[in-house]
Amino acid sequence: MSIRDAVVSAEGDRMRWVELPGGEAPRVYLHGLGATASAYFAEAAAHPLLAGHRTLLVDLLGHGLSDRPQDFDYSLESHADALATALTAAGVTGAELIGHSMGGSVAVVLADRHPELVSRLVLIDANLDPVDPAPAAVASGSIASYSEAEFVAGGWEKLRDRVGPFWWATMRLTDRTALYRSARRLARGTVPTMREMLVRSPVPRTFLYPEADGPLPGEDELREAGVSVVAVADCGHNIMMDAPEAFASLVAAALAA
């Protein structure tokens, strides 16, 4: 295991990841908003069903180990392009991407903008549609209800109290400007939407979501487009942590199909 990095901007900003050695095809794990890849995916990446491949646990700009540029817009497109630069520098092509929440959204955009870098997508309760900003909303929608100045000046304190100590353990490491801009642009979504990009993608795609959340919106359309949609029992949003054995089994099956 080692920590590696790559320059991903003209200003010299570096994206960093924890890398585990192994064979091809490379696997890239992407965390969600206010998270870090190693904290959320270390157990899964080391599971006997998933170990053995070259594995990159990547922290997006503004998060975890990576740099926190203040002139970066933190849109999904910019996150994806910076990630593409890092993967290219690392000699990665045809990667199997496993993305949680916002990381799943970035994975979808990456596959659409840089198809040579992606061979498969496994999305874990990822954001596929825009959300309306509202103080009572969850995560990105709540953050996006502030102006950037309001959030950075103190709005983040209300978020800290709402998300609880587990999420805050990694969210507190995220640059507040990066957290706000990432959430704002995630809530706004992309054109075309992440859902539309996922539907038209030619690579094998799997979407995992918590069974307790009820039917996945737009599930029929996804299935018709060839996306394997799987409801996972006995878990919440953090499926890889709440149900690690089921997660490893389902991801291994998705990557072997």
Side-chain angles (χ1 to χ4, degrees):
M1 182 180 73
S2 59
I3 297 176
R4 300 183 182 273
D5 65 16
V7 174
V8 296
S9 74
E11 293 72 31
D13 302 303
R14 292 181 178 269
M15 182 174 286
R16 298 180 177 87
W17 62 91
V18 172
E19 182 161 335
L20 307 175
E24 301 296 329
R27 290 179 179 165
V28 176
Y29 290 81
L30 300 175
H31 61 81
L33 180 69
T36 67
S38 56
Y40 276 69
F41 283 115
E43 181 179 6
H47 193 283
L49 292 175
L50 296 175
H53 285 245
R54 182 187 180 192
T55 299
L56 289 73
L57 306 173
V58 180
D59 285 347
L60 299 171
L61 285 180
H63 293 72
L65 300 172
S66 292
D67 284 354
R68 294 144 166 76
Q70 297 299 294
D71 56 352
F72 193 70
D73 69 4
Y74 293 96
S75 65
L76 293 172
E77 296 90 342
S78 294
H79 274 306
D81 289 347
L83 176 59
T85 300
L87 295 180
T88 300
V92 170
T93 58
E96 300 171 339
L97 263 64
I98 300 98
H100 177 234
S101 198
M102 183 185 79
S105 305
V106 173
V108 171
V109 177
L110 178 74
D112 193 73
R113 292 168 72 88
H114 305 276
E116 73 283 358
L117 298 178
V118 181
S119 63
R120 292 176 184 269
L121 290 171
V122 178
L123 309 179
I124 309 149
D125 210 19
N127 305 66
L128 297 181
D129 304 299
V131 299
D132 293 327
V138 176
S140 59
S142 174
I143 295 172
S145 68
Y146 293 89
S147 70
E148 182 173 319
E150 290 171 340
F151 182 79
V152 172
W156 64 269
E157 294 176 343
K158 295 181 180 178
L159 178 69
R160 173 198 61 196
D161 296 340
R162 288 185 61 192
V163 301
F166 179 82
W167 196 359
W168 187 249
T170 56
M171 190 177 284
R172 67 189 178 87
L173 304 176
T174 308
D175 179 83
R176 290 168 193 165
T177 298
L179 181 62
Y180 176 82
R181 292 179 186 171
S182 294
R184 180 77 178 179
R185 296 301 292 269
L186 178 62
R188 184 186 304 173
T190 57
V191 179
T193 66
M194 297 84 80
R195 181 180 298 276
E196 291 168 330
M197 292 183 195
L198 180 62
V199 164
R200 74 188 186 189
S201 175
V203 303
R205 296 145 293 159
T206 299
F207 193 103
L208 308 180
Y209 74 97
E211 184 179 66
D213 286 356
L216 181 71
E219 180 173 336
D220 290 344
E221 178 191 19
L222 294 178
R223 289 187 183 278
E224 288 172 5
V227 181
S228 176
V229 180
V230 182
V232 186
D234 302 320
C235 66
H237 181 56
N238 298 322
I239 298 173
M240 58 283 192
M241 293 178 164
D242 297 341
E245 292 300 322
F247 177 79
S249 178
L250 290 168
V251 173
L255 297 178

